[in-house]
Amino acid sequence: MMNTTITNFRNHAFDYINQAIDYNTVINITTKKGNAVILSEADYNALMETLYISRNAQARDEIIEGLKTPVEDCISADEVKW
């Protein structure tokens, strides 16, 4: 995470936004009233999808079960039927 002040962000906003988009850098902007965070739209969408899936108990449990499954017990990608 990159930290900057609001003044510095204002002076270099274009560069900071490009940093977030090109390199997935999360930018923490400090102000007198509090802090704000800038992240790319792709990172934001991934975060929202993760939150959505984690709220679905069945999907969450299946993911956890899958993570515990040894690779040897998995089928190959070309055997998966969608």
Side-chain angles (χ1 to χ4, degrees):
M1 180 179 291
M2 183 181 291
N3 294 300
T4 189
T5 63
I6 188 64
T7 302
N8 193 40
F9 179 80
R10 189 172 35 246
N11 291 335
H12 304 282
F14 187 77
D15 295 330
Y16 281 114
I17 298 298
N18 282 337
Q19 188 83 9
I21 294 168
D22 295 340
Y23 304 107
N24 296 322
T25 303
V26 177
I27 302 158
N28 181 47
I29 304 168
T30 59
T31 74
K32 292 179 182 177
K33 289 182 75 173
N35 298 344
V37 175
I38 302 280
L39 65 154
S40 71
E41 181 181 22
D43 282 348
Y44 172 80
N45 289 336
L47 180 61
M48 292 297 105
E49 183 68 17
T50 300
L51 290 173
Y52 174 78
I53 290 171
S54 68
R55 282 183 271 172
N56 180 319
Q58 182 180 352
R60 184 185 59 241
D61 292 344
E62 288 175 4
I63 291 168
I64 291 169
E65 182 180 331
L67 288 170
K68 293 177 183 176
T69 304
V71 174
E72 308 82 53
D73 295 347
C74 296
I75 62 173
S76 65
D78 57 338
E79 295 179 80
V80 175
K81 294 183 181 173
W82 299 97

